[in-house]
Amino acid sequence: MNIEIPHSALVVGAHPDDAEFGCAGTVAKWTRAGCEIHYLMLTSGDKGSEDPEADLAELRQIREQEQLEAAKILGVAGCTFLRLSDGEVVNNLELRGLIVREIRRFKPEVIFTWDPLTRLYRMHPDHRACGQATLDAAFPAAMMPHSYPEHLRKEGLSVHRTKRLLLFGTDDPDYVSDISDTLELKFEAMRKHPSQFSMDNPAFMERMTKRAQDAAKEQSFEFGESFKLVQLEM
Ligand SMILES: [Zn+2]
C-alpha cells in the first residue's frame, strides 16, 4: 500500500526524542516533498535522567533544545511543548482538549503518534496515554463543534477532520514507509539527543539499523519505518 504524501502532518509525542525513534525518517522524507510538519510534545522529558541529583528544570531546557535541533534537521516547521509532568501523563478530558486545540490549530491531514494498544507490554505509560489521548482527540472530538466549543467561540479556531493516523511503536504494523533515502537524516536527528543516548555506541547503532531493516523485510526497499494505519476518512 502506498500513502500519498500529505500537505500537512502533526507528530504527537510524549517526550523529546519519541518522534525521532518513531517516525523521523518519514518526517524527513515528507518535509523534503513539501509537507508542513509540526511537533507537539506533551512533556519535555524532565525526568529523563538516572542521576538523582539532576536539576529537572535544567534537564527540561536541555531536552527542549535537543528536540528543536533534531526537528530542524528534519525540516520540521515548529515544536510546541505542553510541559506536562514527565512520567505522569494521564489520558483525561483535559489532555484530550489540549490535543484537540493543536489539531484545530494545525489542521493536519495525518497525525503520527504512539500505538496505545500494542501488546509490547514493556511500554512507558506516557506513551500509552499519549497515543490514546491523541486518537480520542482526532476522532471524534476535533471534528465536533460541541466538543471543546470554547476553541471555536473564544479562540477563533474551527473544527478539523484528520484523514488518518500512523501509529508507531506498534506490534501490528500494516504500513511501512520507505526511509532508505532518509535513514541517515533520522540518525543525524537522533544524534541531537545526547542527554538520552549515544549514537557512538556501536551496539545501539546496530540495533537501530536492524530495526529499519526488519521493518522493510518484506518490502522492495532497504530501510523502513512501520506503522499501524488508522483511516478516519473512508
Ligand atoms: Zn518517550
Side-chain angles (χ1 to χ4, degrees):
M1 184 184 20
N2 210 358
I3 292 178
E4 64 181 69
I5 297 178
H7 296 105
S8 58
L10 179 67
V11 183
V12 187
H15 316 105
D17 80 14
D18 285 3
E20 277 65 60
F21 279 104
C23 58
T26 307
V27 165
K29 178 177 159 179
W30 286 11
T31 60
R32 267 186 186 175
C35 177
E36 182 172 328
I37 302 189
H38 287 268
Y39 274 12
L40 173 64
M41 290 300 133
L42 304 187
T43 83
S44 294
D46 52 279
K47 293 198 184 74
S49 169
E50 290 179 15
D51 172 9
E53 304 303 322
D55 179 333
L56 301 190
E58 191 186 355
L59 186 57
R60 183 177 81 184
Q61 244 179 8
I62 290 170
R63 297 204 63 186
E64 287 187 2
Q65 191 55 38
E66 289 178 347
Q67 183 62 91
L68 290 170
E69 288 178 23
K72 196 171 164 195
I73 283 174
L74 302 169
V76 171
C79 299
T80 303
F81 299 99
L82 292 185
R83 293 181 176 164
L84 303 181
S85 182
D86 186 4
E88 298 174 5
V89 177
V90 176
N91 175 26
N92 56 22
L93 293 176
E94 187 190 352
L95 176 58
R96 188 188 300 174
L98 292 170
I99 300 172
V100 165
R101 176 186 285 125
E102 301 307 313
I103 292 172
R104 287 172 171 172
R105 215 149 66 90
F106 294 120
K107 304 212 177 322
E109 283 177 47
V110 175
I111 298 176
F112 293 92
T113 192
W114 287 100
D115 181 352
L117 299 178
T118 179
R119 283 165 299 171
L120 304 168
Y121 293 114
R122 183 182 171 278
M123 189 179 191
H124 196 301
D126 287 354
H127 295 170
R128 203 180 296 119
C130 170
Q132 192 64 60
T134 304
L135 278 164
D136 296 348
F139 183 85
M143 59 176 84
M144 307 303 282
H146 298 291
S147 290
Y148 306 95
E150 66 277 15
H151 296 167
L152 281 66
R153 290 186 195 142
K154 294 184 190 155
E155 300 177 33
L157 299 172
S158 55
V159 295
H160 178 67
R161 194 175 284 265
T162 302
K163 284 186 182 168
R164 58 184 66 96
L165 292 96
L166 288 171
L167 308 180
F168 47 76
T170 184
D171 67 341
D172 185 25
D174 52 12
Y175 175 70
V176 183
S177 166
D178 178 1
I179 61 161
S180 306
D181 292 339
T182 51
L183 181 68
E184 283 311 314
L185 269 180
K186 176 183 171 98
F187 286 169
E188 211 183 306
M190 289 175 78
R191 203 173 278 286
K192 295 295 180 186
H193 294 281
S195 76
Q196 299 305 298
F197 47 84
S198 170
M199 299 293 281
D200 297 326
N201 175 351
F204 181 77
M205 281 303 285
E206 202 176 305
R207 209 162 67 236
M208 290 301 113
T209 306
K210 186 169 182 313
R211 186 183 289 183
Q213 275 167 340
D214 286 351
K217 210 163 41 190
E218 289 165 19
Q219 310 293 329
S220 57
F221 43 82
E222 195 179 3
F223 298 111
E225 278 172 341
S226 52
F227 302 95
K228 180 80 191 162
L229 171 65
V230 181
Q231 288 285 12
L232 295 185
E233 192 179 67
M234 294 298 160

